[in-house]
Amino acid sequence: MKKVLALTPEDALTMMKAAELKAKEIGVDMDIAITDSNGSLLMFHRMEYGKIASIDIAINKAFTAAAQRKSTRAYGEISQPGGPTYGIESSNQGRFTIFAGGVPLFVEGQIVGAIGCSSGTPDQDEAVAQAGLEAIKASLS
Amino acid sequence: MKKVLALTPEDALTMMKAAELKAKEIGVDMDIAITDSNGSLLMFHRMEYGKIASIDIAINKAFTAAAQRKSTRAYGEISQPGGPTYGIESSNQGRFTIFAGGVPLFVEGQIVGAIGCSSGTPDQDEAVAQAGLEAIKASLS
Amino acid sequence: MKKVLALTPEDALTMMKAAELKAKEIGVDMDIAITDSNGSLLMFHRMEYGKIASIDIAINKAFTAAAQRKSTRAYGEISQPGGPTYGIESSNQGRFTIFAGGVPLFVEGQIVGAIGCSSGTPDQDEAVAQAGLEAIKASLS
Amino acid sequence: MKKVLALTPEDALTMMKAAELKAKEIGVDMDIAITDSNGSLLMFHRMEYGKIASIDIAINKAFTAAAQRKSTRAYGEISQPGGPTYGIESSNQGRFTIFAGGVPLFVEGQIVGAIGCSSGTPDQDEAVAQAGLEAIKASLS
């Protein structure tokens, strides 16, 4: 047996609050999903005007970022036509997401979770996810 | 952040080898699956005469035992017509399994993984899974 | 490496022709599916008045019989409420079928394929599948 | 009836061990899947730091290579926009994989199985799969 790092409920809440704050700041209510290191959902909030279709997208962005340990933006870049992972979005029962808005959280070099956001432009979604990521990192340092 | 227990590759191998040994002892080649605490596959072996339909069943028994933290037999008992979880087998995209052969592994009171077996009768499947479980518990004590 | 028995196109045709003959004899056009030992489709025929919904059912009956090496009727018996494999029909992405009409073909003790029929009553379906099974067995002896 | 070649448990282990060795050599823990000639799973191992999303991808790369009898890289080349099989990755319930890392095993001109790897770059994944392929070929010559 070995020991691995895992998010606490307080960690997830820290990420969620910071992400919501950022969403309000840019004026776009979002769907925000936080997963553990396996991409299993830990916390989810559809803000007041967050989109219905974004429920699935936010959850899948967080799943992808955790389960592949890379931002969904980075996967989009290598999954374009002609790219090395073109076609990967059909894997994992269609959950694999290849556009910006999902970012993985590493602590001490190990994957511990991810946050995925959706409802705005991919750039806005990623900015909100990033705010959640920075908040948890700040709380740990 | 917190620290949680997780299976090592050696732990998974210990479970697999003991399960295969038991399967040979009772004379039924099996499909054997070992997952982590989230029910994500770690190791799988279809023994020489293990069944094709049992690939899915073994993997899903282990998924169910880990992800629901209960033996699949125990879920079968409460999922009969009129029972409190009747119909639960259609959940989790059909992966939820409610007949014997999947058992969870707890260490220090925490779920750390599961083993699921299929190809024999459910009683045989569970005996093989149980052998894997006992081997890892013995190796830890 | 090892060598295993497999159906030839002629074998599949022998099964299909005998099954169709039986279907005509009892006056019920059927959907008839023949698979290899893994349950992968080898040959399919929807007779003139075979049912549309039976396309899926016949294919899945043959899949189940091959991949689980047991008649679908036998699985129905042990999958009733309270039975040892109750709930198994949700496995294998819903392809696992537990009512009569699918039978496995064993040669020299090894699974080599299966035949599944649908459109009549389960008893009629099984009689047609059985006719296909007996024809191939007769051709091999 | 005819006789066809099939992998033994020892063959699968030979492939798995060689692939793991190569993965360690290049310093990327992988998810490694080995299937029979139909693409049905025989053996799977998620190495210690293999990715969660790669469970599905490795299994599906092996499925695709066996069931389509071509490397997944070769399918990627003809499945680009404008290519002859553009869109094929949505077939087979999303299991069809079109980027490098899955290779088929032919013996005496017949398909007998495949190996699929995932967690690194597609080039790394393919190098690990290729190591498994070469080991089994060497053991047979």
Side-chain angles (χ1 to χ4, degrees), chain A residues 6-30:
Chain A
L7 294 171
T8 62
E10 293 71 29
D11 294 331
L13 205 57
T14 297
M15 296 170 79
M16 181 61 80
K17 281 184 175 169
E20 288 182 11
L21 200 69
K22 182 69 175 178
K24 280 177 186 154
E25 187 187 311
I26 64 174
V28 184
D29 275 13
M30 297 232 171

Side-chain angles (χ1 to χ4, degrees), chain B residues 48-51 53 56 80 86, chain C residues 2 67-69 82 84 86 92:
Chain B
E48 186 161 12
Y49 300 105
K51 292 177 181 170
D56 188 68
Q80 296 299 316
Y86 172 63
Chain C
K2 60 180 178 180
Q68 269 291 20
R69 301 176 198 160
Y86 173 63
N92 286 274

Side-chain angles (χ1 to χ4, degrees), chain B residues 63-121:
Chain B
F63 163 77
T64 302
Q68 269 290 16
R69 300 176 198 161
K70 198 176 271 202
S71 78
T72 55
R73 176 189 294 277
Y75 256 95
E77 286 163 4
I78 58 176
S79 302
Q80 296 299 316
T85 54
Y86 172 63
I88 200 172
E89 69 275 18
S90 68
S91 76
N92 286 273
Q93 298 80 46
R95 301 184 66 197
F96 204 102
T97 308
I98 59 167
F99 50 98
V103 292
L105 171 62
F106 292 91
V107 177
E108 298 173 17
Q110 297 295 311
I111 183 79
V112 294
I115 176 168
C117 303
S118 180
S119 280
T121 66

Side-chain angles (χ1 to χ4, degrees), chain A residues 4-139:
Chain A
V4 295
L5 288 166
L7 294 171
T8 62
E10 293 71 29
D11 294 331
L13 205 57
T14 297
M15 296 170 79
M16 181 61 80
K17 281 184 175 169
E20 288 182 11
L21 200 69
K22 182 69 175 178
K24 280 177 186 154
E25 187 187 311
I26 64 174
V28 184
D29 275 13
M30 297 232 171
D31 297 34
I32 303 168
I34 295 165
T35 71
D36 65 19
S37 61
N38 276 41
S40 300
L41 194 61
L42 268 177
M43 195 177 279
F44 175 84
H45 186 206
R46 172 157 60 95
M47 295 171 69
E48 186 164 10
Y49 301 105
K51 293 177 182 169
I52 296 296
S54 289
I55 299 170
D56 187 66
I57 297 171
I59 292 174
N60 289 348
K61 281 179 178 174
F63 163 76
T64 302
Q68 269 291 21
R69 300 175 199 162
K70 199 175 270 203
S71 79
T72 54
R73 175 188 295 276
Y75 258 95
E77 287 164 3
I78 57 176
S79 303
Q80 296 299 315
T85 54
Y86 173 64
I88 200 171
E89 70 274 19
S90 69
S91 77
N92 286 274
Q93 298 81 45
R95 301 182 66 196
F96 205 104
T97 308
I98 59 168
F99 50 96
V103 292
L105 171 61
F106 292 91
V107 177
E108 298 174 16
Q110 296 296 310
I111 183 79
V112 295
I115 177 169
C117 303
S118 181
S119 279
T121 66
D123 283 348
Q124 289 173 325
D125 297 344
E126 193 180 46
V128 171
Q130 200 64 37
L133 199 69
E134 278 156 27
I136 179 70
K137 285 191 168 176
S139 82

